[in-house]
Structure formats: structure tokens, C-alpha cells
Amino acid sequence: MKLLWRAKMTTFQDGGEEVEDGAVYNVTLKKVQIQQAANKGARWLGGEGDQLPPEHTVRQYETSKIRAIKAGTLEKLVENLLTAFGDADFSYISIFLATYRAFASPRAVLELLLDRFGNLETSSHGEVANLNSLDSEMVLRAEIASVLRAWLDQCSDDFREPPDYMCLLKLLDYLKNNMPNSDMESRVQNLLKQFQNQEVEAVDGFCSTSSSDLVDGEELEISNPEEFSSFQDHIVAEQLTYMDVMLFRRVVPYHCLGSIWSQRDKKENKNLAPTVRATITQFNAVTKCVISTILGTRELKIQQRAKIIEKWIKIAHECRILKNFSSLRAIISALQSNSIYRLKTTWMCVSKDILLMYEELSEIFSDHDNYLTSRELLMKEATSKFANLDSSEKENQKKSQKRLQLQKNKGVMQGTVPYLGTFLTDLIMLDTALQDYVEGGLINFEKRRREFEVIAQIKLLQSSCNSYCLIPDQKFIHWFRRQRHLTEEESYKLSREAEAAADTNILSPKSQKSMVKRISTLFLGTDVFTPPKEQPPKSSPVGGSSGESTDSASVSSCEFNHSETEDVFVTPVSSPEDPLKKASSDDKSSVGSDKGYDSDKGSISSDKGYGSSKVSIFDPGSGSDSGSIPTRDSGSVASSATKVLPVYNRQSEGSCIIRVSMDGLHASVYKSILITNQDRIPDVTQRALLKHNLEPDAVEDYELVQVISEDKELVFPRDANVFYGMNSHVNFDFILRKKAELVG
């Protein structure tokens, strides 16, 4: 009798854990409802063909077990590469390859895979014979080949080890002995030749502003306003997008892992994560270019300076049409920086339509609900063909749709260039909140699964960037590279000079009053505009001078890293809704965009940065799925109940994350510290010293202080419990300060 089966419904059930020697597995039971019918007798029962009527259908259930490794030794994790498919953990190989650099080297993994598990001569003996009932040399060969193929497909750069290429040579030797004349052997040989013949390309080749990129005898220079004005807005946006795309596509995803990125400030790691540093350098270059073009020429009149601001806002709008959120963010950050938004007289001359456009673009990066707007927008447009421009202003909407229609008429799809800081922040948060090892010294692979959910988004966006079809404009690129960037002091000084030299009689008292009212209504929601008090920045510039590498510049936007990016330069800027507001407090701080989006000192931040929001991506109560780390798709193993992870600015389940800076350094350079309700002052102090690369034995020499306000601090007694003693109603910002008797 012929049986027909049709799946009707699939449900998943938590099956608990399975513990083996050196590994812990999460078990999920997959229950599939199946409809069974017999072809013989079906017609007699009233069925057509081979189908029975519903009342005569036999329902049966088939249950299968899905095992997903939760934690294990390195040996077990490598062994699981061969058994994952048998356990129905189909995403395991991709997750492992994307994250293993956080806990092992390519050589260690390759040696285990080939020497311990891939020795075909022992395939009928020992542990290899027990790997998911692999009793055949042919089956084992296929499993090994499958893993190696995935490795070469997804992470071929893991084997780029000039000049010796030890791992690639070891792999080639293995294939010659065990899989001679195979396609895999030919592929590895070709890859080796490619690496050997390939000249090393600088990852920052498109954005370096050092003099080495210029023609002999040519020097960096402050932008000529007329030359800058000669470039059409959409050309500038396209060229910035071209540079961003080239760099973002080169980003190696594992370079973004929190455990790797957070180590970048150590002396021995100055070349760590070069692909991420290159993207950051480009971001800083754009931000500094905006500031230089606005402030670099002293002779500009107010209206001329306002026209340059308008031009940059239009360029930012063109970046939005191109779905380039990186340069869009860089431009908005520069315009919100201390030295630019304090130009109140200049902003008064910016047209109303352009101000509305600026407001709309700024709202994309609002810190409301943990930057929910930018997150939702990025995911919405990640793989869409074109930007979705829903402007609230009719006039801007007409312009936007016209430009967008021109893009569509070209018939070329667009990719999406994200603001990389969002992903770096998420990965730093994960690395801070989750342990690397669990009980028994096992590697916490659940942490790697969570990290992969973020990395998968990066890979998806990298793939979308292949849709761009942009041609480099050497004239603009050359102009962009030769720009001399202003230091923090220079930009602040020029900003004060420009404001002081402003002709207060340029507007009649009536029109001036009307203009002030319009701006304050637009950005502050009030009819009162209070000119900001001016105070010079307290600290010396941390960003490099024009001759220094932008890689040492600090960060500038209103978000990049909040609490969880190590060594963050928090740049107080106005919120997107009020770029002229609270300038008095912001003038005390460093110039945001002059400090850029730093590869060495942290990522982009603000006083309202990622960490100051009360809602976190790890908070199930945030109210939106878009604001949280997505779960794995239905094709992978269902995750266990989500645990509320510790976050910045919120105490939950006996733990939280605080930010600790060192007294005497820039006030916004901080480290993220995870504390629990069991931690006392010596424990937290020691961890903070370690994070700041200082001697941990000097605990007795320091005191821990919580910053309550500008003029109020909370000093903790020697053995106080930090978790219960801290003020939970203000930001969790702390300072580690040498005790008074030791300062002299």
C-alpha cells in the first residue's frame, strides 16, 4: 500500500539540557503533525485520487530531537563541526566560523580538525568512529570537505598569513594526502598563489588624509569655499558613498566582536581590527571635512557660511537617498558639534526649508528608545531597492521624490551602508554582559550565537552593497584627501571669531526677532531663545592635528558607542530636535566632530549616547522587536528563554553596567564595568584599573566616586557595596581618583 504524507503543523518544545564530557547541549524537540492516507480504498471512502476526506484522515506526529551545543571545550566545539548537521543544528558551522577568533586561533582549530578528527587512517577506530555513527571513510571525508569548503567560502582571509602561510600549506598537504586531485586541492592551491602574488593593499586607501597620499610637493590645505561649491550635491554624496562602500565591504566581521574591538587601545594591538579602523577613519574624515569647510576661511560672511551649512545639509539628504547612513551620520554629527551649532547668527540665515530638512535627517538618529528610529529604518531598508522617503514636509517630500525618481530611472538598485557604530556598540554590550566561560571552564557558545545575530546583519548589509554602481570621481577624491583638518582648539577659536565678527545689523530688529522666534519654535518648541554662554573647552585636544593620522582622532557623533564601547570620548551635542539648545554646557566639552569616530579611543558618542537611554536592546520590555537582538530564524535551533542582560543605567536582577573614567584624563574616556549586588569597592576598583591598563595592586591608592551632577559627587566608603550604595536615579557614571593624600 502506498502511503502519502503531508506535514500539517510544526511545534517546538524545550527538551532541557544534555551534559556530556566536555560539552553541554540545549535540546529542542521538534514535533511535526503528519496527515496519512492510503491510496487503496480511498475512492470507496469517498476520496478523490489518493486523498481521503477529512473525517477519514489519520493524524500522526513525528518528533525529532535538535541538539545545539551550549558550551564546550575547544575540542568539543571543533568536533561539533562534523556532527552539527546530524544534530539538526544547521547554522552551527557559520556561527563558529564567524566567532571562533574570540577564543581560538585559526591554527589551533585547523590542527584539531585535521590531526585529531580528520585523520582518515583512524576513521574506524577511536572517537572518530563514534562521530554521529560515521563508520565510513567516505562519509567522514565528505564531512571534512564540507567544513573546509565553508571555511574557505566564508573566511578565506583566516589563511592570509604572509609570508609563510603555514595554515594554508598545512591544509594543502592534508588534501594531497587524503583527497588528492580533488577540487578542494585545486582551490587551495589557487588561493595560495593568489595570496603570494597579491600586493598588500592599505585598507584605508580611500580615506587617508596623510600627506603620503598626495602628489610630491603638495600640502594639505584648508578648503577653498568656491572649489567646494563647484561640486554638485549629489556628486559629493555619491563619492562619499563610493568611499564608504569600498571600506564597508572590506570589513572583516570578526573584527567587530566586542572581545577583539575592546582590546584595540593596548600598545601591542595598534594594528588590531584594521578594517574597522579604516571605516572609522573615513567617518572622522567626513566629519572634519564638514567643519573645515564651514570654519576654515575667516573671510566668509555670515550668509556665505550659512550657504555652506545648507550645502552640507543637502549633501546629507542625498546620502539619505543613496541609503548611506554612515556619511549621513558623519555630516549630521559635524553640524551638531560644539563649534558649528554654536554659530547662532549663522544658523539664523539658513533657510526654513533647509532647517526642516536638517531636523528630519537629525531625527533619524534620535536617541529615543535606544535609537529605535535608526534601527528600524536600517532593517527596513537593508535589502530594499531604493530609499523609502516619507518626509513630513510637502516641499521636502516633492524634492525627495524627484531625486529618488531620477535614481529609479537609472534602473540601478542601491545597497545600504550602515552606521557601523550601532553594531560595534551592540557587540561591546554583549561582550560586557555575557561571560566568555561557564562552569567547568567551558567556552560559552551561547554568547557566540548571540554575537552571530549581530554579525549576520553586518554580512547581509555587506552583500547589499554589491548593488551599488558608482564610479569614482578623481577630482573630488583628490580634493577630499588634501583637506587639512582643524584641531579642536582651532575650530573652537575660529567659531568664536566668526560669531564675534558677525554683523549684528545684517538683519533689521524686526526680522531678527522673527528669525530667532522661528528657529526657537522649530527646535526648542518655545518662543524664547536664550543665547548660549561661551566657555572655552577645558581639555587639550585629543584628536590629532592636521598632520596626524585620523585614526587617533576621537569620536564625534551623537551616538556611536555609549556605555559599552571602551575608551569612548563622549561628545556632548545637542539632540537632533534642538541643535541650538544648551550650548553653554556643550561649550564646556570637547568639539564632537573634531574628535570624530575613533578607532583608538572609542566610538561615536554623546551625552545622550547609546548608554544614557533607559531602554536597551537587551531589555525585553523595550516595547519593540526592532530594538532588540533578533532571534534566530525558524530554520535554526529555537533559543531558550531570553535572560534579561545587565545594561547601563538600569539595575536589574542584581547586576548592572557602570562607566568608569580616570580622573585627570579626558572626562569622557571611560570603561564599561559589569557589577553585581555582591561587589564592594575593592572589587570594582581593581576591575576598573585593569580595564584602564593600570596596575591592579594599587587599589588602596584610589577612591571611587559617582558623578551626581556638575557640582555634586558621591564618594564611597572603603568597603561599601557599590550596587546598593550608588544613586540609581542618575547616570551610572563613575570616576576613579587618586586619594587626596597621594596627590602632590
Side-chain angles (χ1 to χ4, degrees):
M1 180 180 293
K2 179 180 177 182
L3 296 179
L4 300 176
W5 301 83
R6 185 174 63 183
K8 294 288 290 184
M9 183 178 62
T10 302
T11 59
F12 292 91
Q13 181 181 348
D14 184 11
E17 292 184 350
E18 288 185 1
V19 180
E20 295 182 0
D21 185 23
V24 179
Y25 295 86
N26 275 331
V27 177
T28 303
L29 300 178
K30 180 180 178 182
K31 191 175 183 181
V32 181
Q33 179 182 320
I34 298 175
Q35 177 176 301
Q36 177 185 358
N39 62 342
K40 290 185 177 180
R43 294 182 183 277
W44 181 75
L45 290 172
E48 294 184 3
D50 292 331
Q51 297 297 316
L52 285 171
E55 62 271 17
H56 294 286
T57 300
V58 179
R59 288 184 174 85
Q60 293 187 350
Y61 292 89
E62 183 179 71
T63 302
S64 59
K65 182 171 72 172
I66 301 173
R67 291 205 321 168
I69 193 165
K70 180 179 180 181
T73 61
L74 180 59
E75 291 79 2
K76 279 292 184 179
L77 293 179
V78 174
E79 178 183 332
N80 203 61
L81 290 170
L82 303 176
T83 62
F85 272 83
D87 287 337
D89 189 0
F90 302 119
S91 62
Y92 176 78
I93 294 178
S94 294
I95 297 173
F96 180 92
L97 292 175
T99 61
Y100 79 90
R101 297 295 289 267
F103 54 83
S105 67
R107 180 174 298 184
V109 173
L110 189 66
E111 287 177 352
L112 278 172
L113 184 63
L114 301 185
D115 298 341
R116 184 166 182 180
F117 302 114
N119 190 344
L120 300 182
E121 294 179 359
T122 63
S123 61
S124 59
H125 305 284
E127 54 191 309
V128 176
N130 296 321
L131 293 179
N132 201 34
S133 303
L134 297 181
D135 54 1
S136 165
E137 179 179 311
M138 184 176 296
V139 174
L140 180 58
R141 179 182 285 109
E143 294 289 351
I144 293 289
S146 177
V147 173
L148 293 176
R149 189 176 297 109
W151 198 347
L152 292 171
D153 284 341
Q154 300 176 32
C155 307
S156 60
D157 272 354
D158 287 359
F159 298 96
R160 191 188 295 272
E161 302 171 305
D164 298 327
Y165 300 100
M166 296 300 295
C167 287
L168 208 52
L169 289 174
K170 179 179 180 64
L171 176 57
L172 186 58
D173 183 63
Y174 173 85
L175 294 173
K176 286 180 178 179
N177 292 329
N178 294 279
M179 304 177 195
N181 303 318
S182 63
D183 292 339
M184 185 72 66
E185 181 185 353
S186 300
R187 181 174 180 180
V188 172
Q189 286 176 337
N190 292 335
L191 185 62
L192 179 60
K193 290 178 182 178
Q194 176 186 330
F195 286 163
Q196 290 173 335
N197 297 333
Q198 215 170 45
E199 293 184 6
V200 178
E201 297 180 0
V203 293
D204 58 347
F206 287 95
C207 64
S208 175
T209 56
S210 66
S211 57
S212 60
D213 290 323
L214 303 175
V215 179
D216 291 342
E218 189 175 12
E219 296 181 355
L220 296 172
E221 60 183 38
I222 291 294
S223 171
N224 182 331
E226 293 181 359
E227 186 176 8
F228 172 61
S229 299
S230 69
F231 297 112
Q232 295 181 351
D233 302 339
H234 72 278
I235 295 296
V236 177
E238 286 178 0
Q239 293 309 301
L240 294 178
T241 303
Y242 170 76
M243 292 185 275
D244 289 338
V245 166
M246 296 300 289
L247 291 169
F248 178 61
R249 285 169 57 184
R250 296 179 185 179
V251 168
V252 178
Y254 84 81
H255 286 174
C256 302
L257 290 173
S259 59
I260 294 175
W261 180 239
S262 62
Q263 302 300 312
R264 67 196 175 281
D265 57 340
K266 294 184 177 180
K267 292 181 179 179
E268 65 271 21
N269 292 334
K270 63 180 181 179
N271 295 320
L272 190 69
T275 58
V276 177
R277 291 179 189 268
T279 302
I280 290 173
T281 300
Q282 169 68 9
F283 185 101
N284 283 347
V286 174
T287 303
K288 292 177 180 234
C289 183
V290 174
I291 293 178
S292 296
T293 53
I294 296 172
L295 296 174
T297 305
R298 285 185 169 89
E299 298 76 17
L300 287 178
K301 296 180 179 179
I302 299 175
Q303 294 93 335
Q304 292 174 314
R305 212 179 301 277
K307 287 296 182 184
I308 296 177
I309 290 178
E310 289 184 354
K311 185 174 181 66
W312 277 115
I313 294 173
K314 292 175 183 177
I315 292 170
H317 183 253
E318 292 291 336
C319 288
R320 172 68 188 93
I321 292 174
L322 290 169
K323 298 198 295 179
N324 179 0
F325 293 97
S326 182
S327 284
L328 169 59
R329 181 61 178 273
I331 295 170
I332 296 300
S333 299
L335 296 175
Q336 291 178 344
S337 70
N338 189 5
S339 58
I340 302 301
Y341 74 76
R342 69 179 301 280
L343 299 172
K344 55 184 181 295
T345 311
T346 304
W347 280 100
M348 290 177 188
C349 296
V350 176
S351 70
K352 179 181 178 180
D353 289 343
I354 300 300
L355 281 175
L356 291 173
M357 181 185 293
Y358 170 70
E359 181 188 25
E360 291 174 3
L361 293 173
S362 298
E363 285 176 352
I364 293 175
F365 303 108
S366 167
D367 62 358
H368 179 66
D369 275 355
N370 196 23
Y371 301 90
L372 185 60
T373 301
S374 60
R375 289 175 178 275
E376 286 186 332
L377 188 59
L378 185 61
M379 289 301 101
K380 181 179 180 180
E381 299 195 358
T383 56
S384 62
K385 294 181 179 180
F386 300 99
N388 180 21
L389 303 176
D390 296 324
S391 174
S392 58
E393 295 298 322
K394 291 184 178 180
E395 188 62 31
N396 287 340
Q397 191 172 33
K398 290 179 181 178
K399 295 177 182 178
S400 300
Q401 294 300 332
K402 184 177 180 180
R403 287 289 301 126
L404 186 59
Q405 191 58 47
L406 289 175
Q407 293 289 336
K408 292 181 178 180
N409 291 341
K410 294 179 181 179
V412 179
M413 292 189 301
Q414 297 169 345
T416 303
V417 183
Y419 169 60
L420 191 59
T422 301
F423 299 113
L424 294 178
T425 298
D426 290 352
L427 289 168
I428 287 284
M429 276 288 288
L430 281 169
D431 185 58
T432 303
L434 298 174
Q435 295 180 331
D436 290 327
Y437 296 90
V438 295
E439 186 178 353
L442 303 181
I443 297 169
N444 182 6
F445 201 74
E446 274 301 295
K447 174 177 181 175
R448 307 308 163 193
R449 293 182 188 275
R450 295 289 297 274
E451 289 176 329
F452 181 74
E453 290 165 356
V454 181
I455 287 178
Q457 295 177 40
I458 296 176
K459 288 186 170 184
L460 175 66
L461 292 167
Q462 284 179 315
S463 177
S464 78
C465 282
N466 293 325
S467 299
Y468 282 110
C469 185
L470 300 170
I471 301 174
D473 184 324
Q474 295 303 328
K475 181 180 178 181
F476 174 82
I477 292 176
H478 182 66
W479 173 86
F480 182 78
R481 288 180 178 178
R482 75 170 189 265
Q483 295 309 300
R484 185 176 80 80
H485 297 153
L486 299 172
T487 63
E488 180 181 346
E489 272 97 353
E490 287 175 331
S491 59
Y492 184 83
K493 180 181 178 182
L494 289 169
S495 178
R496 294 196 63 177
E497 289 179 2
E499 195 64 15
D503 183 3
T504 55
N505 296 321
I506 191 170
L507 299 172
S508 65
K510 183 177 180 180
S511 61
Q512 186 175 18
K513 181 179 180 181
S514 174
M515 183 73 75
V516 170
K517 181 177 179 179
R518 175 170 61 81
I519 292 178
S520 49
T521 301
L522 176 62
F523 290 111
L524 308 181
T526 175
D527 288 347
V528 180
F529 178 79
T530 305
K533 297 179 181 179
E534 298 176 11
Q535 296 188 26
K538 294 180 180 179
S539 59
S540 58
V542 255
S545 64
S546 58
E548 294 175 344
S549 167
T550 53
D551 198 36
S552 63
S554 61
V555 272
S556 89
S557 120
C558 53
E559 170 204 340
F560 185 68
N561 252 354
H562 59 141
S563 59
E564 304 350 271
T565 295
E566 305 298 333
D567 263 17
V568 176
F569 281 91
V570 181
T571 301
V573 295
S574 65
S575 67
E577 294 76 19
D578 55 356
L580 304 179
K581 185 180 177 183
K582 297 175 67 178
S584 59
S585 62
D586 291 331
D587 276 356
K588 297 177 183 179
S589 64
S590 53
V591 179
S593 36
D594 284 349
K595 292 198 282 184
Y597 161 7
D598 180 30
S599 62
D600 277 4
K601 303 300 181 187
S603 340
I604 298 189
S605 266
S606 79
D607 57 345
K608 292 185 178 183
Y610 224 54
S612 59
S613 172
K614 291 288 185 179
V615 182
S616 166
I617 52 172
F618 303 104
D619 181 6
S622 19
S624 172
D625 293 337
S626 301
S628 60
I629 294 290
T631 57
R632 292 185 289 278
D633 58 44
S634 57
S636 56
V637 181
S639 17
S640 56
T642 302
K643 179 183 177 182
V644 177
L645 301 179
V647 297
Y648 171 71
N649 266 5
R650 173 177 292 181
Q651 293 180 334
S652 61
E653 296 189 1
S655 65
C656 67
I657 292 173
I658 65 173
R659 305 191 301 194
V660 183
S661 59
M662 296 297 300
D663 188 42
L665 299 178
H666 194 288
S668 345
V669 181
Y670 58 79
K671 294 290 187 179
S672 304
I673 308 291
L674 174 66
I675 68 169
T676 69
N677 54 11
Q678 302 299 314
D679 289 328
R680 297 189 176 273
I681 289 294
D683 306 317
V684 178
T685 302
Q686 186 178 54
R687 258 178 277 163
L689 289 171
L690 281 170
K691 282 261 190 175
H692 281 281
N693 298 319
L694 296 175
E695 193 60 47
D697 296 335
V699 170
E700 299 292 337
D701 298 340
Y702 291 87
E703 62 181 1
L704 191 66
V705 177
Q706 184 181 9
V707 179
I708 305 301
S709 64
E710 289 186 3
D711 54 357
K712 188 180 295 185
E713 294 179 342
L714 173 63
V715 182
F716 287 81
R718 174 70 181 82
D719 293 317
N721 184 304
V722 181
F723 185 85
Y724 292 117
M726 65 190 293
N727 187 331
S728 59
H729 300 291
V730 298
N731 286 341
F732 295 4
D733 294 337
F734 290 73
I735 295 175
L736 204 57
R737 177 184 296 145
K738 276 209 168 187
K739 293 180 180 177
E741 62 268 19
L742 298 174
V743 179

